[in-house]
Amino acid sequence: MHPDADTRVRELLGEYDTPEACTADLLCDRHPADAVAFTVVEGDLSYVDLTYGKLREESTRFAAALADLGVDAGDHVATLMGKSADLVVALLGIWRRGAVHVPLFTAFAAPAIAFRLEASGAKVVVVDADQTPKLAPGEDIPAEPTWRLVVAGGGTDDADSFRALIDTHSAGDPNGAAAVVGGDGPMVQLFTSGTTGTPKGVPVPVRALASFHAYQEYGLDVRPEDVFWNAADPGWAYGLYYALLGPMAAGTRSLLLHAGFSAPTTWQIIEKFGVTNFAAAPTVYRSLRADPTPVPYGLSLRRASSAGEPLTPDVVAWSKSALGVEVRDHYGQTEHGMFIVNAWADEVRTEVRPGSMGLPLPGWECTVLRDDADEPAPPRTPGRVAIDVQKSPLLWFGGYVDAPEKTASRYAGDGRWYVTGDAGTVDDDGFYFFSARDDDVIIMAGYRIGPFDVESVLVMHEHVVEAAVVGMPDELRGEVLEAFVVLRDGVEGDDALEAELQQLVKTKFAAHAYPRTVHFVQSLPKTPSGKVQRYILRKR
């Protein structure tokens, strides 16, 4: 680790990992009252600035209201809300009360919502008015739920009004006082995105803020003068950790778009607000690349980052000319946040190696373990990406909720290594390369094939927008590759295009690794965080 970075990591742990840690103070109260925390942008590009002083006053009132609703320290409160001022106030009110936040993504259907509410034991759900139908009694939602509804943007006979609760409580109410929970105190309960099965509960302690703050500085290089916009939704880890928690911890202003995604709106916001530091999932960059809207002239971008799925080389090449800056790939997990990245900060920045997800961030030490032994594999040898528990002071994951066997399965070498569940390689200089989820590695006639390698070639074709590759059973070879391809609007998939794509893989990657079948589909099944659910494709 860089010596200055080592010192900075210790400083951050000294801020967040203490018995006196108070979430509301760390995220809000310690910052100047007149400093802007968020600029909330509407779909028509109108906007409002949200200061830390305003957040402190309104979240104190909401914390007092939660107390009246029977919420105590350690209780769980869920939110089913879009990116808005009300969401930020609700979250700070939850943490001020000492309660635990359960994020619900607004694209979830009723079964996913019900699962998370029941698994977390949520006492209260704060929900946007337009999302309330998902909480109506039915096949998944019980007729007499154990949670209380608070509706933002409205209220009904069966639910409280979020705004009315705030307006009827005083900012001086002692029940709104900021709770001290300590560095080990739970702050959030997220659920893994479910790429391979049932989501697992991940408790996030207050001390995780040290890691989130470090990524803001080293990975994203967010500076006080930046106009920072992380377009990810706070209903999943990257958006919650780095569009809300990281910026508030660091006290840096960021944008929140209170509207659905569209490529033209994204271009307009980057241009109008002079965005200098942008972060988003690969899907966003692919959508921008495919959008016919002319790229605005004279963009102010100096940093662009991507996370959620591996970044295919075509997007990196496009970004250099279209954005004026290369998009850098960053790797992490719900259980840890980001820890292997192509970092932007001057102290740790290196040249991007094509296809690499980068180097471990300060505060993290990683390796690739052999498949057949709990020891580091030689350079360029495929294996299991793992975190060195003993040498990663920013590691905060303490285990899944009520799942000791699943937790234990993540550790190897008598607890020395946390095994991520991802396959990859590391080169002689320590740069990491993602191959696939362990469950997604394809073994064909003895060859290990990572889907990402083949997908990166398929998207090079001018007619291909997205591609996913899976292994299907085959009597002769064990498995063979099949590809699911999304084409540009107006392009029809046929036998000729299938043969063309197969030949492209043979020419650009490997003769044996071409997809035996290419399925042309309208879309790929994805988790809320944008990760392709290959297990669903295999079931097809």
Side-chain angles (χ1 to χ4, degrees):
M1 188 189 302
H2 190 284
D4 292 339
D6 186 37
T7 300
R8 182 58 179 149
V9 167
R10 288 197 299 268
E11 289 176 353
L12 290 171
L13 288 169
E15 285 184 42
Y16 299 105
D17 191 11
T18 71
E20 300 80 25
C22 169
T23 316
D25 179 65
L26 292 168
L27 296 179
C28 178
D29 300 354
R30 65 174 176 161
H31 302 309
D34 61 349
V36 175
F38 296 97
T39 296
V40 182
V41 183
E42 301 296 330
D44 62 2
L45 302 192
S46 62
Y47 66 94
V48 62
D49 286 334
L50 197 58
T51 66
Y52 283 106
K54 181 73 169 177
L55 286 174
R56 179 172 188 171
E57 177 187 345
E58 295 209 336
S59 65
T60 298
R61 293 172 182 266
F62 186 58
L66 287 174
D68 286 351
L69 294 177
V71 174
D72 295 318
D75 287 339
H76 290 64
V77 178
T79 60
L80 181 59
M81 306 173 75
K83 293 169 278 190
S84 64
D86 283 348
L87 172 64
V88 183
V89 170
L91 298 190
L92 283 170
I94 293 166
W95 294 323
R96 192 174 295 279
R97 185 64 189 150
V100 181
H101 171 227
V102 181
L104 301 173
F105 183 44
T106 53
F108 279 152
I113 292 169
F115 171 82
R116 286 159 174 79
L117 292 178
E118 292 168 4
S120 65
K123 271 194 173 183
V124 172
V125 183
V126 189
V127 56
D128 284 338
D130 63 355
Q131 292 285 323
T132 54
K134 296 178 182 178
L135 293 167
E139 182 178 347
D140 302 292
I141 304 296
E144 297 183 2
T146 56
W147 52 82
R148 182 111 170 228
L149 287 188
V150 174
V151 180
T156 67
D157 293 339
D158 301 319
D160 295 290
S161 162
F162 178 73
R163 185 49 53 183
L165 286 175
I166 290 175
D167 291 342
T168 55
H169 285 79
S170 166
D173 191 319
N175 284 329
V180 172
V181 296
D184 289 330
M187 176 177 59
V188 173
Q189 183 174 321
L190 265 169
F191 288 83
T192 57
S193 54
T195 55
T196 57
T198 303
K200 300 178 286 292
V202 178
V204 183
V206 174
R207 59 187 168 87
L209 292 171
S211 175
F212 303 160
H213 193 153
Y215 174 66
Q216 293 288 128
E217 292 186 7
Y218 290 109
L220 297 172
D221 189 31
V222 180
R223 302 177 185 180
E225 65 273 15
D226 268 330
V227 179
F228 174 61
W229 183 22
N230 181 345
D233 194 281
W236 65 284
Y238 194 70
L240 179 62
Y241 295 171
Y242 305 116
L244 295 180
L245 287 169
M248 285 194 288
T252 52
R253 167 180 171 251
S254 58
L255 305 185
L256 285 179
L257 174 60
H258 186 215
F261 169 79
S262 79
T265 300
T266 301
W267 286 126
Q268 291 170 352
I269 291 174
I270 291 174
E271 181 182 28
K272 175 176 178 175
F273 292 90
V275 174
T276 59
N277 197 317
F278 183 63
T283 301
V284 169
Y285 291 105
R286 286 194 289 266
S287 298
L288 291 175
R289 185 189 63 170
D291 183 59
T293 303
V295 178
Y297 176 75
L299 296 180
S300 303
L301 280 174
R302 67 177 192 87
R303 301 287 186 254
S305 307
S306 175
E309 276 274 279
L311 196 61
T312 47
D314 59 303
V315 174
V316 179
W318 164 83
S319 68
K320 290 180 181 179
S321 58
L323 303 179
V325 61
E326 66 184 0
V327 179
R328 289 190 164 222
D329 198 8
H330 295 176
Y331 167 81
Q333 297 186 315
T334 300
E335 295 91 333
H336 307 288
M338 312 310 289
F339 56 93
I340 298 177
V341 309
N342 288 290
W344 273 116
D346 292 340
E347 305 96 304
V348 291
R349 186 165 69 247
T350 59
E351 290 293 321
V352 173
R353 300 197 176 186
S356 173
M357 56 192 187
L359 299 165
L361 275 168
W364 298 90
E365 188 74 31
C366 301
T367 194
V368 172
L369 297 176
R370 293 179 179 272
D371 284 328
D372 57 357
D374 294 334
E375 58 186 43
R380 302 178 304 283
T381 302
R384 299 168 291 159
V385 179
I387 299 169
D388 189 328
V389 175
Q390 298 175 4
K391 297 181 179 180
S392 300
L394 289 181
L395 187 149
W396 50 264
F397 177 70
Y400 300 113
V401 176
D402 299 327
E405 291 184 1
K406 289 181 178 178
T407 299
S409 70
R410 283 296 189 198
Y411 292 90
D414 295 326
R416 167 70 185 276
W417 309 105
Y418 176 94
V419 181
T420 63
D422 288 326
T425 59
V426 60
D427 68 14
D428 296 272
D429 299 317
F431 285 81
Y432 286 77
F433 294 80
F434 178 87
S435 175
R437 292 287 304 171
D438 275 351
D439 296 333
D440 292 330
V441 171
I442 301 162
I443 302 177
M444 186 180 71
Y447 292 102
R448 289 174 55 96
I449 302 168
F452 177 63
D453 295 319
V454 181
E455 292 161 1
S456 294
V457 173
L458 291 171
V459 296
M460 292 171 62
H461 194 283
E462 60 178 347
H463 294 325
V464 175
V465 175
E466 290 188 294
V469 173
V470 299
M472 293 296 191
D474 181 80
E475 289 187 8
L476 179 62
R477 302 176 183 86
E479 284 185 295
V480 294
L481 280 73
E482 295 193 13
F484 294 79
V485 171
V486 178
L487 299 174
R488 293 186 182 278
D489 291 342
V491 178
E492 294 293 331
D494 55 21
D495 292 345
L497 183 54
E498 178 182 41
E500 199 173 322
L501 292 173
Q502 290 170 330
Q503 184 59 43
L504 185 65
V505 174
K506 293 178 182 178
T507 304
K508 297 291 186 180
F509 177 54
H512 70 284
Y514 72 94
R516 266 52 181 183
T517 303
V518 177
H519 306 275
F520 298 106
V521 296
Q522 293 297 312
S523 62
L524 300 176
K526 295 179 181 177
T527 69
S529 60
K531 298 177 182 177
V532 176
Q533 294 173 304
R534 290 179 179 82
Y535 76 99
I536 293 179
L537 294 176
R538 286 192 289 268
K539 289 179 180 178
R540 290 183 181 177

